[in-house]
Amino acid sequence: FYLKELFDQIGQLTDETTPKYKIKNFIFEIIMFYIFNNITSKLIYDLIKFFIENFNENFSEYLLLLLSYTGIEIRKEDPENKKEV
């Protein structure tokens, strides 16, 4: 239930009034769930695609943060999806 609620909040990321620290905390939660194998790389790729589709200065920072912690692992886990991105 917690993960579903967490991913439902992705829509709030496009709101310019949301403070950066809240968004970064959200991303770190997703990273920790991935590192501890609670979510798959598919969800990480969906988040990456979301950042690319709504690309702006802030989202590029969030994308870099996400990829710096998960990039090597998602590449090992699902290299075909990496090509698509």
Side-chain angles (χ1 to χ4, degrees):
F1 294 112
Y2 181 74
L3 280 174
K4 182 186 179 315
E5 185 176 316
L6 195 62
F7 274 92
D8 286 343
Q9 293 176 3
I10 289 177
Q12 294 178 358
L13 293 177
T14 57
D15 186 8
E16 293 293 325
T17 61
T18 305
K20 279 181 135 181
Y21 75 90
K22 284 189 176 186
I23 298 171
K24 286 183 179 182
N25 286 343
F26 168 80
I27 293 170
F28 276 118
E29 283 183 85
I30 299 297
I31 290 168
M32 290 300 125
F33 276 116
Y34 178 71
I35 289 173
F36 291 112
N37 294 320
N38 293 345
I39 61 174
T40 64
S41 64
K42 170 111 173 72
L43 293 174
I44 299 293
Y45 277 117
D46 289 343
L47 189 56
I48 290 169
K49 288 175 188 174
F50 175 79
F51 287 146
I52 291 172
E53 289 169 0
N54 300 294
F55 198 75
N56 64 30
E57 182 180 330
N58 290 335
F59 282 0
S60 64
E61 181 180 343
Y62 306 143
L63 182 61
L64 181 60
L65 177 68
L66 183 64
L67 289 175
S68 65
Y69 285 93
T70 61
I72 293 172
E73 291 300 316
I74 61 174
R75 184 176 181 196
K76 289 179 192 175
E77 188 177 322
D78 193 4
E80 290 299 315
N81 216 348
K82 182 191 77 70
K83 289 180 184 177
E84 183 181 323
V85 170

